[in-house]
Amino acid sequence: MAQPYLLLSLALVAFDPTLSPTLSLVQPALSPGGFRAASPLAQSNPSTQRRARRVIALTSLTADIIAKLNPQVLVGVPGGSLTEQNPALRSLPRVSQGRVQPNLEQIIALRPDLVWGAKSFHESLVERLGRSRIPVTLTDVRNWSELEALTRDIATQLGTDPQPLLRRYQSIGISQPKRQERVLVLVSSQPILSPNKNSWAGAMLERFGMNNVTANVQGTSFNRGYVTLSPERVLQENPDVIILVEVGGGESLKNQLAGRSFWRNLAAVRKGRVVTMEYLGLVNPGNIDAIEKASARLRAIAQ
């Protein structure tokens, strides 16, 4: 049975939602109601800015970045597999789980002086926490520049040095593939969805010099970073390599597509150039380890 469209739409933004239009944070300013609005041009003097000492992270990515910059300031994190697997986060209180909105009373009880959330999922918290005078910063990450900007902004808020972590990002490396193959990434079968350049997955492909056949296709799907393709369009593109993203739960995407009549006529299928990758790291950044794992996989595919 094909995975329902609604289930996929939830899966793409579940837990650490990073796929909606991005709010890039560089130096946020506090506005009425506790919301820290972002401006890519705004600059503030770190010496005069009050540093956060009790921080709640509502996404696995921000929790991981904060833990790597200054773990002592974290007082609450989201639930989920990535949190459980991170020793630095394992003992901290869980203030949210999956698609359930964070526990407002628990957040207030933890007395944070800053809450980091996702623009695509936590906007309703801004006004509610603002009544308790708790500042909220919302961010989404859709490319490497925004990941670096987010890291710098968190470091500024904490009064720490972002350079070791930024160097770690750089060490992941930009690879020039030996073969200039045309690549198609698919995340769903009904409808057939593929990332364009306005998504984290698209940015990952670009970073490793991979020729994403849907990079410049403008979509009308629920998310601007993804495009809906017809079977005829997939056949027309006829990519050299197909990357299938398994989001977990239900029938695998590979099995779903194997039952479609167009599938066997694709060159990548006939040549055995269909590979699978995990959702975290490629579609959703997840955390730094997930990004590095996905990067290693893409490097191997490109070579």
Side-chain angles (χ1 to χ4, degrees), residues 263-296:
W263 187 246
R264 66 180 69 93
N265 295 319
L266 294 168
V269 175
R270 295 197 306 268
K271 296 177 181 179
R273 293 288 285 158
V274 178
V275 297
T276 60
M277 288 187 62
E278 296 180 9
Y279 161 75
L280 291 171
L282 179 61
V283 172
N284 183 324
N287 63 15
I288 306 307
D289 288 343
I291 293 172
E292 290 178 331
K293 183 178 178 180
S295 296

Side-chain angles (χ1 to χ4, degrees), residues 30-35 125-131 133-136:
L30 188 62
S31 64
F35 174 61
L125 291 178
V126 174
E127 182 178 355
R128 295 161 65 193
L129 289 177
R131 298 190 192 109
R133 303 187 65 80
I134 297 175
V136 179

